[in-house]
Amino acid sequence: MTAETDRLQILTRALDQLAQLIAGTAPRQAELPTPCRSWTVRDVIAHVVRDLANFAAVARGEQPDYSKPLADVGHDWSGAFASSRHGLDEAWRSADLDSPVPTMTGGETPLASRADQQIAELGVHAWDLARGTSQRADLDPEVAAHGLEWARQNLAPQHRGPESEGKAFGPEVAVPEDAPVYERLAGWFGRDPRWSAPA
């Protein structure tokens, strides 16, 4: 098995995991809060659906429009996710993971790094959704470990700060190195690992 095949298999598992969490989310939970700052359960799902299209564009060698609003996921959240995922799966299957793509801070990086970035995003949003909807805690640890490795190398300080300043991530929340891997991933992305859904 090549590193590229292994990476894309982990990405597939991350997508499958999130699809299962979305399927397990009830419509009445749409407006519940999540650990992802001011986002509700519906916001997290809409963000993920939009990002599947963005990452598909990156995999095709295109420049996504990151200014687009969150996706309109309607009432069929699983259908919206599956529809957006179809184009993503096709894009990654035919992608050259060694091809250079621009980074958000200038310069270039192999496309494989963007696959790693998507694994990290899918992992942390799976945790957001699981916590926000009080779903299962047995999330795939390899997805989180792979995502955390990418995040620790690439989540730069300039992307952290107050949401009012347009920063995507809050300050790192310190988590012991022997804590469960999803708690370490959440803390690195600025979430409080102790967060739980309101009663």
Side-chain angles (χ1 to χ4, degrees):
M1 180 184 298
T2 66
E4 289 77 8
T5 301
D6 189 48
R7 175 181 281 108
L8 294 182
Q9 286 189 356
I10 295 173
L11 177 57
T12 295
R13 284 160 51 186
L15 288 161
D16 289 345
Q17 173 171 264
L18 198 48
Q20 291 170 5
L21 288 165
I22 292 172
T25 302
R28 61 181 169 75
Q29 295 177 303
E31 301 307 318
L32 291 179
T34 71
C36 188
R37 288 188 165 180
S38 60
W39 281 2
T40 63
V41 165
R42 180 193 293 274
D43 292 335
V44 170
I45 294 172
H47 168 76
V48 168
V49 169
R50 181 188 65 183
D51 265 16
L52 296 192
N54 285 341
F55 276 104
V58 170
R60 291 192 300 266
E62 303 167 4
Q63 180 62 35
D65 180 2
Y66 291 109
S67 67
K68 283 184 179 179
L70 294 179
D72 180 4
V73 292
H75 299 290
D76 183 8
W77 300 336
S78 289
F81 183 87
S83 177
S84 196
R85 179 180 177 175
H86 178 72
L88 176 77
D89 286 339
E90 286 190 345
W92 280 122
R93 273 196 299 268
S94 58
D96 175 5
L97 297 186
D98 292 324
S99 62
V101 293
T103 67
M104 290 182 289
T105 56
E108 291 184 336
T109 187
L111 180 58
S113 178
R114 301 305 291 275
D116 296 335
Q117 178 186 359
Q118 187 170 31
I119 292 168
E121 276 216 24
L122 293 169
V124 77
H125 288 314
W127 184 84
D128 290 333
L129 196 56
R131 284 296 177 96
T133 59
S134 300
Q135 289 192 65
R136 68 179 202 218
D138 59 333
L139 300 176
D140 188 330
E142 194 170 356
V143 168
H146 192 99
L148 182 58
E149 182 179 357
W150 175 88
R152 283 180 165 168
Q153 295 174 15
N154 294 278
L155 183 49
Q158 61 263 34
H159 298 306
R160 298 184 184 275
E163 194 174 13
S164 60
E165 295 179 6
K167 300 296 185 180
F169 308 102
E172 178 192 355
V173 177
V175 180
E177 276 301 313
D178 60 352
V181 67
Y182 274 91
E183 292 187 9
R184 286 180 276 138
L185 179 68
W188 189 261
F189 273 87
R191 274 76 157 161
D192 182 354
R194 296 166 298 181
W195 191 98
S196 60

